[in-house]
């Protein structure tokens, strides 16, 4: 059950995706009309997400943990595309507070897996950095 038990709205997928593979993942979600919210700590990334057509964007402060309040909707699965180890660790820690649903980290690195698991990631998927996309169907994610 979602941590926001009193709310009966369907859970929303959360995506942090400022990578090429993440951008392709977002395009797949948009093409399939899958409801989701993108999370970012950057106004530059926010503009990029808006250009992609993302309607729900959470601009968050990843520096101050006291500001990591859950959004006003139930959070479901999370997909975090690693652009940096430290930022992805902060996203895992923040979003794990919001949901008990599966939290996936997609990374091009071979190290960091134990760190993500210790912070609460359920699944760490390897996507080589040269790969242009991240197919939803291949991993039965949605």
């Amino acid at each position: 059950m979602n941590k926001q038990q009193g709310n009966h709205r369907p859970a929303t997928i959360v995506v942090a995706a400022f990578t090429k593979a993440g951008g392709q993942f977002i395009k797949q979600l948009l093409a399939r009309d899958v409801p989701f919210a993108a999370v970012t700590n950057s106004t530059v990334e926010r503009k990029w997400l808006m250009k992609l057509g993302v309607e729900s964007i959470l601009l968050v402060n990843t520096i101050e943990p006291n500001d990591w309040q859950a959004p006003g909707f139930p959070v479901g699965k999370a997909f975090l595309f690693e652009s940096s180890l430290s930022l992805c660790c902060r996203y895992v820690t923040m979003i794990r507070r919001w949901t008990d649903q599966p939290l996936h980290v997609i990374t091009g690195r071979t190290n960091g897996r134990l760190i993500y698991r210790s912070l609460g990631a359920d699944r760490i998927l390897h996507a080589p950095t040269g790969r242009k996309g991240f197919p939803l169907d291949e991993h039965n994610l949605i």
Side-chain angles (χ1 to χ4, degrees):
M1 178 176 279
N2 194 291
K3 288 184 179 180
Q4 298 174 6
Q5 297 170 7
N7 200 329
H8 290 62
R9 293 186 291 171
T12 300
I13 293 169
V14 172
V15 180
F18 201 47
T19 65
K20 286 182 183 181
Q24 290 300 317
F25 183 79
I26 285 176
K27 289 176 184 176
Q28 290 177 61
L29 292 174
L30 290 167
R32 295 174 184 213
D33 207 24
V34 175
F36 72 97
V39 63
T40 181
N41 70 342
S42 159
T43 56
V44 171
E45 186 177 347
R46 184 173 167 243
K47 289 177 185 175
W48 174 74
L49 291 163
M50 291 169 66
K51 284 183 182 180
L52 287 178
V54 178
E55 294 180 13
S56 181
I57 302 170
L58 304 169
L59 186 59
V60 296
N61 175 352
T62 53
I63 302 299
E64 182 52 54
N66 292 330
D67 291 344
W68 296 352
Q69 301 301 315
F73 54 81
V75 174
K77 293 179 182 178
F79 298 92
L80 311 178
F81 288 78
E82 179 193 59
S83 57
S84 84
L85 179 68
S86 62
L87 179 59
C88 195
C89 285
R90 284 179 269 161
Y91 281 144
V92 169
T93 303
M94 178 177 58
I95 294 169
R96 179 46 68 208
R97 292 181 183 185
W98 300 351
T99 186
D100 57 4
Q101 298 297 308
L103 192 153
H104 306 271
V105 173
I106 299 88
T107 179
R109 303 173 197 247
T110 55
N111 59 349
R113 294 173 186 265
L114 292 177
I115 294 169
Y116 293 136
R117 285 215 191 277
S118 72
L119 293 172
D122 297 296
R123 192 169 177 196
I124 294 89
L125 302 166
H126 188 264
T129 52
R131 190 174 187 170
K132 291 186 178 177
F134 189 81
L136 295 173
D137 297 330
E138 182 178 314
H139 297 283
N140 295 324
L141 297 174
I142 303 299

